[in-house]
Amino acid sequence: MQFTSEQRLDDGVLEREFTLGEIPGVLWTPGAAPAPLILIGHPGGLHKRLPRLVARARHYAAQYGFAVAAIDAPGCGDRPRSAADEQFRADLRRAMQAGKPVDEIVDAFIVPLVEKAVPEWRTTLDALLSLPEIGGPVGYDGMIAIGIRLAVVEPRISAAAFFGQTFVPDTLREEARQVTIPLQFLMQWDDEGMERQPVLDLFDTFGSKEKTLHANLGGHTGTPWFEVDDAARFFGRHLK
Amino acid sequence: MQFTSEQRLDDGVLEREFTLGEIPGVLWTPGAAPAPLILIGHPGGLHKRLPRLVARARHYAAQYGFAVAAIDAPGCGDRPRSAADEQFRADLRRAMQAGKPVDEIVDAFIVPLVEKAVPEWRTTLDALLSLPEIGGPVGYDGMIAIGIRLAVVEPRISAAAFFGQTFVPDTLREEARQVTIPLQFLMQWDDEGMERQPVLDLFDTFGSKEKTLHANLGGHTGTPWFEVDDAARFFGRHLK
């Protein structure tokens, strides 16, 4: 793990960019060490530097004392896109413009993304946990498809916060039954891109004994900011 | 309003019992004044001194600086029961033992209870808000049927936390459309006494633009304690 930049932010958080082989990432750490760690993900195709992701990461670090790490998944953010990545984006755009269903296109993209992203998260976790400023346990707060697989194969993940959505391929939906860690599951009650019932069904599917659903009024991007605090307190209960 | 007892508790909260005409109640106040007020209710037939209600009230006061008041509704707790109250309890017990539906029996009890309890809450509110140690605004955290009517007719109620359930008569379910204050709506995902969908439908019915659903795994009495903190923070956002 090589740190490529370092900046002390005005909220006291230390922000460092790193690379780990081909993986580019960002690590935010609070003043006090060792801090429990939250792996923060982003939706496929978006960037580890997405403003609302950065705001959440800094809030977790500055207000709640978590170390937070984000990486770009293969083909996302700063990373080179393969011909298949470009094809997926073109297919998706065309289907959405034509008002056609996109589920099969998304499924065909997400399954290989998960196959590649999960081992990278585990490698990143090895490197992060070797730093003196980071102590276990570890939470995951990111893309649900990646999170399901990660929670099943990676015993160091102790709790997860998911944003419920319908773009979860059947194979991962099945794997969700094997997830047993505590979950906080957020959904938008009037998400314009998805039906309510399949999202509630996905919440139901997880095998966890402790799971909480939070639903707020409004569309896909309308999640109120207080849910970031709710997620931080959820992680506080399970990681501290 | 006459205070009939006064006790400083070990968490620093001042607990006073009072009577207001026929209405017996308890008031918990924190050290700092004036404090915003939470009216805390209890399910029909239970007591204002129900241990989990008292624990919630004291937590709101000691940890979050709210004044909290509970009263016994007519026919409940310390108050005399009418012949109709006794008849209801006998009918309910008989139907439940026979495994028969109880909805009509409960509806027939709840509508008159609401008719009597809501004016009493408003009278109590007048008296409480005249105390120097209490400042507005006011939140309601109690029986949902009473809370719907109170939120519609009482403009001093600024936010409400409800426990979602199916024992809400149709007439009050209709009134829920007129409720526009911010809501936090709690439900148990596996409540043995009720179906999930009618509870979700009730959440949907409220006219409020800001409303959040919290659902936790487990049966009717299995709500985790952290939901008390979540409710306190919800009230903190709207009453402070």
Side-chain angles (χ1 to χ4, degrees), chain B residues 19-132:
Chain B
T19 57
L20 183 67
E22 296 175 9
I23 311 164
V26 189
L27 174 63
W28 295 268
T29 44
L37 175 65
I38 297 174
L39 305 180
I40 196 167
H42 57 82
L46 293 176
H47 200 282
K48 66 182 181 304
R49 284 291 198 174
L50 188 70
R52 65 171 185 266
L53 183 150
V54 172
R56 200 158 86 241
R58 289 179 57 175
H59 196 67
Y60 284 159
Q63 300 301 317
Y64 295 92
F66 291 108
V68 186
I71 58 174
D72 278 330
C76 300
D78 286 335
R79 300 183 67 173
R81 294 181 187 178
S82 66
D85 293 332
E86 298 291 2
Q87 187 62 47
F88 159 72
R89 284 177 166 76
D91 291 347
L92 185 65
R93 208 161 31 234
R94 205 172 308 119
M96 288 178 85
Q97 281 167 356
K100 289 186 182 166
V102 299
D103 297 49
E104 280 185 29
I105 298 169
V106 173
D107 283 9
F109 174 73
I110 287 183
V111 172
L113 177 72
V114 168
E115 298 286 349
K116 286 177 284 187
V118 167
E120 292 194 347
W121 265 123
R122 301 188 74 185
T123 303
T124 307
L125 194 51
D126 291 339
L128 291 168
L129 289 176
S130 72
L131 299 173

Side-chain angles (χ1 to χ4, degrees), chain A residues 204-234:
Chain A
D204 244 2
T205 302
F206 284 92
S208 308
K209 284 209 183 66
E210 179 175 345
K211 54 182 174 180
T212 304
L213 173 74
H214 283 195
N216 288 284
L217 235 61
H220 187 71
T221 59
T223 302
W225 176 256
F226 61 72
E227 288 290 351
V228 177
D229 289 296
D230 282 13
R233 284 184 293 256
F234 162 77

Side-chain angles (χ1 to χ4, degrees), chain A residues 14-223:
Chain A
L14 183 64
E15 177 182 280
R16 285 174 286 177
E17 297 191 287
F18 64 81
T19 57
L20 184 66
E22 295 175 11
I23 311 165
V26 188
L27 175 63
W28 294 269
T29 44
L37 174 66
I38 298 175
L39 305 179
I40 195 168
H42 57 82
L46 294 177
H47 199 282
K48 67 182 179 306
R49 283 291 197 174
L50 188 70
R52 64 173 187 266
L53 183 150
V54 172
R56 198 159 88 242
R58 289 179 58 175
H59 195 68
Y60 284 159
Q63 300 300 317
Y64 295 91
F66 291 109
V68 185
I71 58 174
D72 279 329
C76 301
D78 286 335
R79 300 182 67 175
R81 295 181 186 178
S82 66
D85 294 330
E86 298 291 1
Q87 186 63 47
F88 159 71
R89 284 176 167 79
D91 291 348
L92 185 64
R93 208 160 33 231
R94 205 172 307 120
M96 290 178 85
Q97 281 167 356
K100 289 186 182 164
V102 299
D103 296 50
E104 280 186 29
I105 298 169
V106 173
D107 283 9
F109 174 73
I110 287 182
V111 172
L113 177 72
V114 167
E115 297 286 349
K116 285 177 283 186
V118 167
E120 291 194 349
W121 266 124
R122 302 187 74 183
T123 303
T124 306
L125 194 51
D126 291 339
L128 291 168
L129 290 176
S130 72
L131 299 173
E133 59 269 41
I134 296 179
V138 183
Y140 175 87
D141 175 359
M143 187 181 174
I144 190 166
I146 293 174
I148 290 170
R149 173 69 56 81
L150 195 58
V152 170
V153 301
E154 177 52 78
R156 290 174 294 183
I157 304 287
S158 300
F162 290 134
F163 184 83
Q165 51 160 299
T166 50
F167 291 140
V168 176
D170 287 346
T171 165
L172 286 155
R173 206 171 269 268
E174 273 304 307
E175 279 180 46
R177 296 183 198 284
Q178 302 170 43
V179 173
T180 56
I181 56 173
L183 296 185
Q184 191 141 295
F185 185 103
L186 186 61
M187 72 178 283
Q188 283 298 97
W189 200 242
D190 312 293
D191 200 314
E192 54 281 14
M194 52 195 76
E195 297 289 316
R196 217 176 263 169
Q197 195 57 50
V199 180
L200 294 172
D201 291 344
L202 179 58
F203 172 67
D204 244 2
T205 302
F206 284 92
S208 308
K209 284 209 183 66
E210 179 175 345
K211 54 182 174 180
T212 304
L213 173 74
H214 283 195
N216 288 284
L217 235 61
H220 187 71
T221 59
T223 302

